[in-house]
Amino acid sequence: MRKPVVLITGAGGEIGHGLVTRLAGSGPPIITLDVTPLDRSLAPLVAREFIGSITDISLLDRVLAEFEVERVFHLAALLSARAEFTPVTAHHVNVEGTLNLLEFAQRQGESHGRPVLFIYPSSIAAYGLPDLETKMRAGAVTEDQYAHPTTMYGCNKLYCEQLGHYYAKHYKQLSADAIARVDFRSVRFPGLISAITVPSGGTSDYAPEMIHAAAKGERYDCFVRPDTTIPYMTMPDGVDALLALADAARDRLTQSAYNLTAFNPSAAEIRDVVVGAFSSAAIGYRVDPKRQGIVDSWPAAVDDSAARRDWGFAPKCDFERAFREYLIPTIRQRYHR
Ligand code: SER
């Protein structure tokens, strides 16, 4: 008998870290797939750790043979900044890897006779506004506006939202005996800020990097201008959102990708709060025009009303509370231990 489990890809990453910690001990056992071994705090929380790539179909076949996967949280990806150095590799991992996982979910669903829930974090990078003036004028953008990404990562995310929709609704639509067995749901995350982990390879990383550097007493040069603004949310709110979307009633969902946001401070506003909280903070600006260009193409605000309406998205932390109740106390404890 195969065992019913939840599969988390990219489990060792930032979101994975939060999700594994949150899911452990409640509900079905967790199995993970990541290119590197999980760190010591996570490994004991999972029932089985597969080490390898989502591009390795034989590895996915092994998982399929051994486990009955009911839910997939497909988090593995190369983030936006890293992907610009190796776009073909990024496409291979982000697109072909996702295709492999969708096929895997379809096979799983066929073998248990009911849909496999497939949760996919898309991104604010799926947007591409043509210039700063348009960004300033646009206000809170809806899912269908300005979906013209400028990065490989953004293209990958936008396309995989569509691919997921295909697997959920139109899979082999001309074949008489095929049934779609993937219940695909995705969110477009804003920048995520964790007090526990530090991101790598993203373009929204200036916010978390600034906070963690200040807490460690290290100098930090922010790579975007002070006025740069994009939406953010805390990692615990991000993880809660994935779980709320996973638990939502299927018939309430009116779209396959949902915007999310909690607050949208400028880089200068983040700097001000961080300097207020950590007396030794030394934060300057050294603008990297290329990464600045990417962040300038992302909206300053997104409209998350569909997520609020369809599945009750309601982040706990606004900007003030994120720092006061989550980031500052948790980060202090982390670096002073
Ligand atoms: N935080 C991500 C990045 O910067 C966006 O999804 O790449």
Side-chain angles (χ1 to χ4, degrees), residues 79-81 122-125 153 189-192 201-205 298:
L79 292 190
S80 59
S122 182
S123 165
I124 190 175
Y153 173 78
F189 271 135
L192 292 171
T203 317
S204 59
D205 295 2
W298 294 351

Side-chain angles (χ1 to χ4, degrees), residues 162-242:
Q162 306 293 324
L163 204 54
H165 181 72
Y166 170 78
Y167 270 81
K169 291 278 187 294
H170 306 293
Y171 179 70
K172 285 191 177 170
Q173 53 194 303
L174 297 186
S175 154
D177 53 353
I179 305 175
R181 289 293 189 198
V182 180
D183 180 354
F184 177 86
R185 307 172 179 197
S186 75
V187 293
R188 284 193 193 153
F189 271 135
L192 292 171
I193 310 179
S194 169
I196 314 290
T197 53
V198 194
S200 72
T203 317
S204 59
D205 295 2
Y206 60 91
E209 281 174 1
M210 199 187 293
I211 303 165
H212 283 262
K216 285 190 277 185
E218 291 170 2
R219 189 188 157 74
Y220 183 72
D221 286 318
C222 178
F223 59 78
V224 295
R225 291 184 317 268
D227 64 291
T228 305
T229 304
I230 58 164
Y232 278 96
M233 68 197 288
T234 65
M235 187 60 78
D237 274 338
V239 168
D240 279 351
L242 292 180

